[in-house]
Amino acid sequence: MEPDYTVPNRSSISNALSLKYSDLRGQISAIVANSTALSFTTDIWTSVSMEAYMAVTCHFITQEWKLSDFVLETKAFQLSHTGINIAQQLGDAADALSIPNYKRVAVVHDNASNMKLCTEMLKKEPEKWGNVQGVCCSGHTLQLCINTALTQDRIRRTVAAARNLVGHFKKSAKATAALKEKQTQQNVVDHKLIQDVATRWNSTCEMLNRLVEQRWPVTAVLSDPSITKKGDRTLDLTADQWKLAQETAEVLGPLITLTELLSQEANLSLSATVPMLFNLKKRHLSPEEDDSPAIREMKKTLVTEIDSRWQLLSLEPGSIYLLSSALDQRFKHLKFLENEKKDLVYIEVVRLAEHLHQQQTVPEMEELSGSHGEEETAAAVPPPKKKRWEISMLMQSDDDEEEEEHGDSAKKEMEQYLKDTTKVQSEKYSPWWKQNSDRYPKLAFVAKHLLCVPATSTPSERIFSKAGYVVNKTRSSLLPENVDKLIFLAHNMKRV
């Protein structure tokens, strides 16, 4: 159509890509530098060319109180996957954007031992990572709880029988065509059966739900001798198994909803984790009179696993889960806790607010003086946790001179905040704090630190979905640095 047009060669495209990457990285550096606090997620993925890549994403709340995120890098990981090596590469990603230690709040990762060791190594470097917290992915933790519950003998055998039944229809074109015909005859919705995947527990729930929905067309196909061989008719589930399959799917349904809510990037998810888990235990996992013994045992196992893996019954008042819940307007009254423990959580929020208020100007002074000595270490490491009687004195004491100098204390802000009944009708971001941050400046500063932490590591896993399109079979020879640039641009361009 345009004979005079010269198609750019490989070098031209590569140079244009590098220039765009450098320009966008500069913009992101400026945005990150203007943020109050950041959290990170990380994970490791293997491409079709059998090269390992480690993705690092950062999450923060903007000055307009909107949740935002960027992918920092997706770099080749050629070393052994030890916690020390992961910590080193994660540190390099944060250092490349000159993210100071006092802004590094948390690292969200899966439950692998090397990832847990990684955060332990980061805690040993307060000069780089301050008081960073390691947070296990809630989605992965919930999956471990459910996998344990599904190992119960009767449920395990029912799921295996359902899997074999679905597999029969997946392998037989004749049975699939007959199923479609039976659906029309019985006026059942035309849905295909779903085969579960071992690494996705929610697919097991979807498989059982779909099978129960299509029970009578499936039974009709299996009982038709002209379609199904005599030996395959035994694939049909027994009446007890059909009932158990339905009950199991009903128990797992709310857990799927919880996982989806915690995985949505636009939600304040970490602050909702513990309140939702307590609500789940109370409303959906409490035994009912008409529950079968297998379902009762399943619910009991789920409750035990959730309590154990999240340590719900022994959460410390200074837990990042409880602190973030206290600063989420939806859950600030902490109704799932006893009154005494609530007060301790509020005390910890006040202590953290005063500490951050005192230290937020120190980094600016250090940047002007170029000093990185004892003051920087003091800013990075919070004071040791106060004893019970010391905390009580903190809440009871009231230094008039200090309050006159610094305005309302964090204690007074907390008292007013708990009495505040102002509501904002919105499902996204944190509009309540956007409208009320001027009234509670110290608490708002803490909120930006704690509410930016996602509950799951799915943001870094979603990067690998993009990476799968970039590093495909026809582009398996891409250099690792070009893979990093392409994914960086693909994810971040629409966010800047």
Side-chain angles (χ1 to χ4, degrees), residues 278 281 303 306-308 310-316 341:
F278 272 101
K281 289 168 52 180
V303 170
I306 289 172
D307 287 341
S308 173
W310 270 282
Q311 300 178 344
L312 287 188
L313 303 181
S314 59
L315 278 175
E316 293 292 330
K341 196 165 187 178

Side-chain angles (χ1 to χ4, degrees), residues 44-324:
I44 297 176
W45 166 77
T46 304
S47 70
V48 293
S49 57
M50 300 308 293
E51 290 180 314
Y53 287 87
M54 177 173 161
V56 180
T57 67
C58 71
H59 305 258
F60 58 97
I61 296 177
T62 66
Q63 299 301 320
E64 294 75 27
W65 285 93
K66 290 186 177 182
L67 285 172
S68 186
D69 68 279
F70 295 118
V71 56
L72 298 186
E73 66 176 33
T74 310
K75 286 197 171 180
F77 197 85
Q78 299 174 346
L79 303 173
S80 58
H81 298 182
T82 63
I84 296 175
N85 291 334
I86 295 172
Q88 179 63 46
Q89 186 147 324
L90 182 58
D92 292 342
D95 293 341
L97 288 181
S98 302
I99 300 173
N101 60 351
Y102 58 89
K103 288 188 178 182
R104 306 180 188 187
V105 178
V107 177
V108 185
H109 51 76
D110 60 27
N111 287 265
S113 57
N114 57 348
M115 288 296 183
K116 292 181 179 179
L117 178 60
C118 164
T119 53
E120 292 300 321
M121 299 301 299
L122 297 179
K123 290 179 182 179
K124 296 178 181 179
E125 300 183 84
E127 69 282 356
K128 285 188 176 183
W129 285 92
N131 193 34
V132 71
Q133 300 290 313
V135 178
C136 288
C137 172
S138 295
H140 188 224
T141 306
L142 198 58
Q143 177 181 346
L144 296 176
C145 298
I146 293 167
N147 287 345
T148 302
L150 291 177
T151 57
Q152 183 189 336
D153 187 52
R154 285 192 61 192
I155 295 178
R156 179 182 56 80
R157 285 190 279 111
T158 298
V159 171
R163 188 177 295 123
N164 289 336
L165 177 55
V166 174
H168 167 73
F169 281 87
K170 291 292 182 181
K171 295 175 184 176
S172 173
K174 184 178 181 181
T176 302
L179 178 62
K180 192 174 184 67
E181 183 180 343
K182 298 294 184 183
Q183 289 171 337
T184 304
Q185 293 175 358
Q186 299 182 15
N187 197 25
V188 176
V189 62
D190 182 10
H191 284 161
K192 294 180 180 180
L193 298 181
I194 298 175
Q195 183 73 68
D196 68 335
V197 181
T199 56
R200 292 178 58 241
W201 68 265
N202 55 326
S203 65
T204 301
C205 180
E206 292 167 357
M207 177 185 71
L208 296 177
N209 261 327
R210 183 60 55 82
L211 198 56
V212 170
E213 175 193 85
Q214 301 294 328
R215 174 180 179 178
W216 300 116
V218 166
T219 303
V221 171
L222 292 176
S223 60
D224 190 337
S226 64
I227 302 172
T228 307
K229 298 178 182 178
K230 186 176 181 179
D232 292 333
R233 295 176 199 171
T234 57
L235 289 171
D236 196 5
L237 306 184
T238 64
D240 287 342
Q241 287 178 326
W242 279 111
K243 182 181 178 182
L244 186 55
Q246 181 177 358
E247 292 175 337
T248 301
E250 289 173 354
V251 172
L252 295 180
L255 301 180
I256 290 182
T257 303
L258 174 61
T259 304
E260 291 173 349
L261 288 172
L262 295 180
S263 300
Q264 291 176 0
E265 294 183 18
N267 284 343
L268 298 176
S269 53
L270 187 73
S271 59
T273 302
V274 169
M276 284 184 172
L277 287 173
F278 272 101
N279 188 51
L280 183 75
K281 289 168 52 180
K282 180 180 179 180
R283 291 176 177 267
H284 300 289
L285 298 181
S286 55
E288 299 178 2
E289 292 183 1
D290 56 347
D291 284 343
S292 64
I295 293 300
R296 282 179 174 270
E297 185 63 28
M298 181 184 183
K299 288 182 176 180
K300 180 180 177 181
T301 302
L302 282 171
V303 170
T304 302
E305 287 291 311
I306 289 172
D307 287 341
S308 173
R309 294 188 182 277
W310 270 282
Q311 300 178 344
L312 287 188
L313 303 181
S314 59
L315 278 175
E316 293 292 330
S319 164
I320 192 171
Y321 288 99
L322 296 181
L323 294 178
S324 59

